[in-house]
Amino acid sequence: MGNSRRMDYSDNQVTLYTSQSQVVVDKMLESGRHVVENTFIKEKYGEASHVFLQAYSWYRQHAASVIERPSDAESAIWTFLDVKYLDYSADSQIIKLRVPIEKVVFFRMSDWNKILNLRLLGTEEEQAKYSEKLKKYQVAYEGDVYTTAFYPHLKTELVRSWQKLFQYDQAIKETKTLPFEDIQGGIWELRNDWVESFIEWKM
C-alpha cells in the first residue's frame, strides 16, 4: 500500500480536523452537538445536488452498518487526519477534534470521490474491464449506469464495488496506522466535548 504512518492516537481517541462554517460552529457551541441535514448538501451543490444526494444516500445506508447512525443525522461530517485536505472558506473555522476511534468510519478520499462521481471502485484491471462493458453498451457517461434504469446489470456491479470504500476501516482501527496519505474519517455528529481547539487558517 502507500506510505504507512501512525495516526495521532491515544486513550482510545484519534486526532481529526474538520472545516465548518461559523453557523455550524455557533450551533454546536449552543446546543452541544451538530448533525448534518440534507438541505445543507442541496445548498452546497445546487443544481447538481440530486446526483450527489444519491451518493450520500448510499453512504448513509452502508456506513451505518459500520458505525451506528443517530436518527437525526441525515448525512455524515467529513474529517481528516491532516489539515492540508481541508477546504478553505472565508466563513469557516478549522476544528481540531479528539474523537473516540469507534465513532469514526475510515476510508480513502480518492475512493469516496469515485463514488461521489458515480464511478466504479476497483483495481486498474477491474476498472478497465468495466470500461470495456460501458463501451459495449455505448454508455457515454458512466453516471448514467446509476441514474437511469437502462443498465441494471451494470448498476449492480457498480454499487457492489462501492463496498470497497470500507475495506481499510477495521485494519486502521486495529493497527492505528494509515495505509494511505489520503485517509479521511466520516463521523455522524460533532460534539462539544470532542473539540480540542480552533485553529486559524494559514494561507
Side-chain angles (χ1 to χ4, degrees), residues 26-198:
D26 291 343
K27 177 182 176 182
M28 179 187 66
L29 294 175
E30 180 180 350
S31 67
R33 66 191 287 267
H34 167 72
V35 293
V36 175
E37 299 176 358
N38 281 336
T39 52
F40 167 81
I41 299 171
K42 293 176 183 177
E43 292 172 359
K44 180 176 180 179
Y45 293 110
E47 293 181 0
S49 64
H50 68 285
V51 175
F52 291 111
L53 280 170
Q54 293 182 77
Y56 277 88
S57 176
W58 177 89
Y59 179 91
R60 184 177 80 161
Q61 177 184 353
H62 293 275
S65 66
V66 181
I67 303 295
E68 185 177 359
R69 178 180 64 85
S71 60
D72 58 347
E74 296 182 356
S75 192
I77 295 163
W78 301 142
T79 69
F80 301 87
L81 293 105
D82 193 318
V83 293
K84 71 180 182 181
Y85 291 112
L86 297 176
D87 290 331
Y88 171 77
S89 171
D91 180 37
S92 64
Q93 289 196 46
I94 300 174
I95 309 174
K96 183 179 182 181
L97 304 165
R98 291 289 292 172
V99 181
I101 196 168
E102 70 272 9
K103 296 292 186 180
V104 188
V105 180
F106 292 103
F107 52 91
R108 292 193 73 181
M109 185 191 314
S110 53
D111 287 346
W112 169 244
N113 284 338
K114 288 179 180 177
I115 295 175
L116 201 58
N117 288 286
L118 308 181
R119 296 174 55 200
L120 185 86
L121 183 53
T123 64
E124 289 186 9
E125 182 181 357
E126 289 169 338
Q127 291 180 54
K129 289 181 178 179
Y130 187 71
S131 293
E132 287 300 315
K133 293 177 183 178
L134 295 181
K135 291 178 183 178
K136 177 182 177 181
Y137 290 96
Q138 299 181 325
V139 179
Y141 170 57
E142 191 170 343
D144 287 344
V145 170
Y146 191 86
T147 59
T148 69
F150 302 134
Y151 316 100
H153 54 299
L154 290 177
K155 182 175 181 178
T156 297
E157 182 177 352
L158 174 68
V159 174
R160 186 183 298 124
S161 78
W162 292 351
Q163 286 293 339
K164 295 185 177 74
L165 182 71
F166 309 115
Q167 62 186 315
Y168 308 112
D169 178 75
Q170 192 59 41
I172 289 172
K173 288 172 179 171
E174 290 175 356
T175 65
K176 315 303 185 290
T177 299
L178 306 176
F180 296 95
E181 189 178 79
D182 68 337
I183 296 295
Q184 70 179 81
I187 56 177
W188 293 119
E189 60 183 348
L190 282 177
R191 299 178 58 91
N192 271 4
D193 54 356
W194 292 350
V195 175
E196 184 169 283
S197 62
F198 295 93

